[in-house]
Amino acid sequence: MNPTITLSWPEPHVALLTLDMPDKGANILSSAVVAELRERLDEVAAHSDTLGVVLISGKPGMFIAGADLGEFIAGLDAPPDQTIAKSQAGQQLFRRLAELPFVTVAAIDGICVGGGAELAMWCDRRVLSNDAKTSYGFPEVKLGLLPGWGGTARLPRMIGLSNAVEMITGGENIDPQEAWALGVADDVTSADTLLSAAIRLVHREAESKAYQRDRETWAAPIVMSPNELGFLGAAASAVILGQTKGRFPAPMAALELMLESQAQPLDNALRMESEAFARLFGTEVNRALLNIYFLTDRNKRDRGVDTDVRGADVTSVGVVGAGIMGGGIAAANLKRGLPTVLTDASADALRSGAEAVMKDAAYDRKTKAVNAENAMRVGALLNLGSMQHVAGCDVVVEAIVENMDIKRKVLQALESEMRPDAVLGSNTSTIPITKLADGLARPEQFCGIHFFNPVRRMKLVEVIRGESTTDETVATAVGYAKRVGKMPIVVHDGPGFLVNRLLFPYMNESLQLLMEGADIGEIEKASTRFGMPMGPLALYDMVGLDTALYAGRVMWEAFPERIHALPILPALVKQGRLGQKSGSGFFNYANRKGKAESDPYIDEFLTGYVKERRAHDRETLTWRLFAPMILEATRVLEEKLVRDVRDVDLGMVFGLGFPAFRGGLLCWADTIGAAEIVERLKPLAELGSRFEPTPLLLEMARRKHSFYGSH
Ligand code: NAD
């Protein structure tokens, strides 16, 4: 096997270790690479006249992407002793970098995260390239872990406890300028002068020996007063609790560890880190977050088709309809530098839509305001035009009213003006793509491109294949969605496609529960305590009760045996209670902040529908809400609506806000197990066929299969 790390001597007495994993886009610190590093360091150390060693990557834009997560997965069930031993072996090797009898310098261009950031941190000095790709950070908490190769011990000693706490518990990467300001980077230079800058640093340090003083400081305990520590602990815990809502244990564990270990000698701090790492490793949340990592990673590589057909490059996009969705889609295009033409049947709608697009696209997250420079840049990419103008683009997305006849007319008019090779997509949430394609001359170049609301925040896009849609069209739509920073999943046509199909049984069940006399607040809590961003009834209010009624009709017409038209929704719509947009729905929004408040009227209203008030315990409520979702997912798998079980979970997490700390719907279902699910469905059998185990579930239970293992 070709080595990953090669040793060369660009100058007498200056060693260069170049990391370049053969046949891989990224350098990963697998155990084989770590072993190679050990050998190469031995080789360098054998030269007694070495002045210093520079570590660099042979891959432009990529230093090291972290540890080998595949090895993590393989070791998830290992006993804690083994996990501790692995962490300690890494610490000892990296620590050698700070103990060699010459200076060590990391020359970083591109991504340097996780284990890679730890390796660089154990070097005496770091030079970063000022390339836009260069970023440095410790994302371990996002996987439910903390740095385990000395990060929590060395970083606070280098850049101060408070800065280190922010970097490690927040898990966000920093850019070269921030790295310079924090003292992580000793020099920032262009990528092509990186190596010479690193070598210069070797000579400077070899002469001044400044690195030797830093070695002493960075190995000693940190001196902080109890007051300072108390303040830092309280402030950081408040931020962490605000962000994690107590669901993600890793950031708090990292904080507690760093607060305790900072006053310890380095050896103790490292031992404490390994133990804390092992306590998080293999926990349910760690497994769930690793699953999310692998889902997203797979999605990045998935072209959406199983053939080697390639999609066309997308250099311009037309958007028809400048409302909530069309505006959001146009803004997403502009943010990624994609020239966009926007049109609308109403001149007023186009004007106000364009204003909203500019506000969204030019928004600067750091300053929390519209940035004038951004506005100039994105403004130059936005054109407001006619239908003909829109039709000249590579991809056209229709986002007008949800009405089949109007949509069909507009799609046909668009198609007649479009280039024969261009792709036409509809953002419909409910109308079957094959039905919309009826009347098109080139249905093979038409598909659903379903963004979620709000487009700015929701990562998911469903690319829906109609009966005639070709692989090339799908690949182009998938490529386009990725180009604008989204995660596309390809699904077959059908009522509600994937996400709304799984959402509906859950939302409908909340209405069933209301009619059985369950308390509205308790239903909401059962959902939010499970981890959903909001309860199902608040979600009805957000979507709009009229819209939900319309979409619901599509679902109960398609699946009458399990989704029933319940009278509550039409009654509220009739009364003009449409949810947030009308100021009241299941909740009242007539307060100053427009927040959901319980409404006594709803209790009164429900008495007309409820035979008797019945308390349900929270566990029952949670199961009643989520079991229909699992069952619907098994039907979706039986029908082969999705290409892979992982697409269901990706859709649920990034389209619906299903809690990431559960790893996705089916990942969570696997933690229960098919046999146990069947068991837990038995007491619900009397409620009707919607709780009947599906043939797939029964088969899985019989064969002891899991969703992830058997698909
Ligand atoms: P919207 O009412 O905010 O905007 C629709 C726009 O289309 C309006 O500006 C209207 O003037 C324009 N329009 C209507 N007829 C037109 C025509 N013939 N030609 C050109 N423009 C026309 O609606 P929206 O919420 O943005 O929804 C648009 C589409 O996206 C619908 O198909 C909807 O089902 C789908 N969708 C909506 C959401 C959501 O949460 N709002 C989510 C996903 C998908």
Side-chain angles (χ1 to χ4, degrees):
M1 210 170 73
N2 288 332
T4 290
I5 310 175
T6 46
L7 169 62
S8 60
W9 299 87
E11 280 189 13
H13 319 302
V14 178
L16 179 66
L17 293 180
T18 306
L19 280 87
D20 195 351
M21 234 171 164
D23 312 320
K24 290 266 172 4
N27 289 320
I28 303 286
L29 290 174
S30 63
S31 34
V33 172
V34 169
E36 255 188 86
L37 179 63
R38 184 174 296 119
E39 284 169 25
R40 292 295 94 77
L41 287 178
D42 286 343
E43 269 177 60
V44 179
H47 294 257
S48 59
D49 51 0
T50 305
L51 289 178
V53 60
V54 175
L55 270 85
I56 202 165
S57 162
K59 297 183 195 297
M62 161 57 61
F63 184 70
I64 296 172
D68 184 337
L69 295 182
E71 286 182 9
F72 275 35
I73 297 281
L76 278 177
D77 295 320
D81 288 0
Q82 263 182 41
T83 309
I84 292 176
K86 272 198 174 161
S87 151
Q88 286 177 336
Q91 289 171 348
Q92 275 156 19
L93 171 67
F94 283 9
R95 202 174 164 180
R96 252 190 99 190
L97 287 161
E99 288 170 352
L100 287 166
F102 43 77
V103 65
T104 51
V105 177
I108 301 161
D109 173 43
I111 293 158
C112 176
V113 294
E118 290 181 285
L119 172 65
M121 193 193 60
W122 281 105
C123 289
D124 295 307
R125 297 289 182 258
R126 282 145 299 279
V127 189
L128 266 62
S129 90
N130 56 13
D131 191 273
K133 272 197 185 153
T134 299
S135 58
Y136 184 92
F138 298 89
E140 286 84 350
V141 290
K142 295 193 170 165
L143 297 176
L145 293 171
L146 46 79
W149 284 335
T152 65
R154 171 107 166 163
L155 192 68
R157 287 163 171 78
M158 267 175 57
I159 66 168
L161 185 59
S162 170
N163 288 333
V165 160
E166 194 177 330
M167 274 194 81
I168 288 177
T169 63
E172 297 298 333
N173 292 346
I174 55 175
D175 64 25
Q177 279 65 38
E178 289 165 309
W180 167 258
L182 284 173
V184 168
D186 299 279
D187 195 2
V188 176
T189 184
S190 63
D192 51 353
T193 54
L194 190 64
L195 179 58
S196 52
I199 294 176
R200 221 173 24 247
L201 206 50
V202 167
H203 288 298
R204 202 178 74 197
E205 291 291 329
E207 201 161 306
S208 71
K209 303 268 187 276
Y211 73 96
Q212 290 181 350
R213 282 194 302 279
D214 284 341
R215 282 185 180 184
E216 274 173 36
T217 318
W218 296 341
I222 295 174
V223 184
M224 266 176 105
S225 74
N227 265 355
E228 275 178 305
L229 261 184
F231 181 74
L232 172 61
S237 323
V239 171
I240 292 171
L241 272 178
Q243 283 168 350
T244 63
K245 314 255 180 310
R247 306 289 199 181
F248 299 83
M252 200 57 98
L255 172 66
E256 282 164 8
L257 167 68
M258 284 193 278
L259 290 177
E260 276 172 35
S261 69
Q262 49 81 35
Q264 296 288 326
L266 190 61
D267 279 337
N268 287 0
L270 289 173
R271 187 179 38 73
M272 289 163 78
E273 178 188 85
S274 298
E275 288 165 3
F277 179 86
R279 281 195 292 276
L280 293 173
F281 191 74
T283 54
E284 227 167 73
V285 175
N286 172 224
R287 285 168 199 256
L289 294 176
L290 279 169
N291 190 49
I292 301 286
Y293 171 84
F294 281 106
L295 292 180
T296 31
D297 189 56
R298 174 183 167 276
N299 186 258
K300 276 185 205 147
R301 282 177 282 111
D302 182 21
R303 290 182 307 107
V305 290
D306 302 318
T307 54
D308 31 341
V309 166
R310 307 235 145 231
D313 269 354
V314 178
T315 58
S316 60
V317 176
V319 179
V320 186
I324 304 177
M325 294 307 290
I329 297 166
N333 294 343
L334 299 180
K335 280 187 235 175
R336 296 288 171 137
L338 202 51
T340 299
V341 186
L342 183 63
T343 194
D344 198 290
S346 140
D348 279 349
L350 185 57
R351 201 172 321 111
S352 59
E355 257 173 49
V357 170
M358 286 300 293
K359 257 197 206 152
D360 182 349
Y363 184 79
D364 183 341
R365 262 199 284 168
K366 275 192 187 152
T367 59
K368 295 197 166 54
V370 169
N371 172 313
E373 216 176 285
N374 282 356
M376 299 273 281
R377 190 171 36 83
V378 297
L381 296 171
L382 178 64
N383 271 303
L384 308 181
S386 60
M387 288 281 268
Q388 283 81 356
H389 200 163
V390 163
C393 296
D394 297 338
V395 169
V396 178
V397 184
E398 166 279 306
I400 65 167
V401 281
E402 188 74 347
N403 174 305
M404 181 147 76
D405 292 335
I406 303 180
K407 274 193 194 292
R408 270 188 181 161
K409 268 192 207 128
V410 168
L411 290 168
Q412 286 165 22
L414 277 167
E415 191 199 41
S416 67
E417 304 272 348
M418 282 169 68
R419 282 201 325 265
D421 60 330
V423 164
L424 180 58
S426 172
N427 191 49
T428 176
S429 11
T430 51
I431 308 172
I433 292 304
T434 307
K435 279 196 184 160
L436 284 179
D438 201 20
L440 289 181
R442 298 187 297 273
E444 61 281 3
Q445 273 158 254
F446 174 65
C447 64
I449 306 182
H450 184 207
F451 287 82
F452 287 75
N453 188 16
V455 179
R456 167 177 13 95
R457 228 185 30 231
M458 304 304 281
K459 283 270 197 186
L460 192 79
V461 168
E462 285 177 318
V463 171
I464 303 128
R465 293 188 87 112
E467 254 165 34
S468 312
T469 311
T470 59
D471 275 2
E472 200 173 350
T473 300
V474 168
T476 303
V478 164
Y480 157 58
K482 287 189 179 181
R483 169 87 163 72
V484 294
K486 302 295 177 195
M487 293 179 185
I489 55 173
V490 179
V491 302
H492 281 287
D493 206 3
F497 313 126
L498 171 70
V499 172
N500 287 336
R501 168 132 177 220
L502 297 198
L503 178 63
F504 251 85
Y506 156 85
M507 288 182 68
N508 211 57
E509 200 58 31
S510 70
L511 300 184
Q512 293 272 8
L513 283 163
L514 273 186
M515 297 202 25
E516 283 172 28
D519 180 76
I520 184 166
E522 287 299 314
I523 298 174
E524 295 292 274
K525 270 191 215 144
S527 163
T528 51
R529 297 234 167 119
F530 181 81
M532 296 297 280
M534 63 174 70
L537 297 151
L539 185 58
Y540 269 116
D541 280 354
M542 195 182 93
V543 170
L545 268 55
D546 50 344
T547 310
L549 182 62
Y550 176 79
R553 190 166 296 139
V554 174
M555 301 303 285
W556 67 69
E557 277 172 5
F559 310 115
E561 70 292 354
R562 55 180 190 272
I563 299 194
H564 307 139
L566 298 172
I568 301 181
L569 221 47
L572 288 174
V573 170
K574 217 167 168 189
Q575 295 171 18
R577 294 183 74 104
L578 305 182
Q580 283 181 13
K581 60 184 167 190
S582 71
S584 66
F586 287 104
F587 297 95
N588 198 309
Y589 301 87
N591 52 67
R592 248 191 310 138
K593 285 193 174 156
K595 274 182 78 172
E597 273 175 3
S598 57
D599 191 334
Y601 171 75
I602 285 294
D603 281 340
E604 200 189 304
F605 163 81
L606 285 172
T607 49
Y609 298 91
V610 175
K611 280 187 224 95
E612 52 166 330
R613 289 238 164 250
R614 241 179 69 202
H616 296 68
D617 64 71
R618 189 155 304 149
E619 214 173 301
T620 308
L621 286 176
T622 310
W623 187 234
R624 282 283 300 271
L625 290 172
F626 291 97
M629 224 186 214
I630 298 179
L631 284 169
E632 200 62 31
T634 63
R635 297 184 192 104
V636 157
L637 293 174
E638 280 171 343
E639 293 165 26
K640 303 207 183 315
L641 197 84
V642 287
R643 291 162 57 237
D644 192 295
V645 65
R646 287 157 189 84
D647 284 344
V648 173
D649 279 356
L650 203 82
M652 291 299 97
V653 173
F654 294 99
L656 266 194
F658 191 90
F661 64 86
R662 298 193 186 273
L665 175 70
L666 297 179
C667 179
W668 169 63
D670 273 346
T671 65
I672 305 172
E676 177 64 19
I677 292 173
V678 171
E679 209 46 45
R680 289 192 203 173
L681 286 172
K682 282 183 184 160
L684 304 182
E686 58 180 21
L687 292 168
S689 64
R690 68 186 190 280
F691 284 107
E692 222 170 77
T694 56
L696 175 69
L697 188 67
L698 290 170
E699 177 72 1
M700 284 174 62
R702 200 175 57 75
R703 294 171 160 234
K704 297 193 171 54
H705 276 180
S706 64
F707 287 105
Y708 272 74
S710 54
H711 285 90

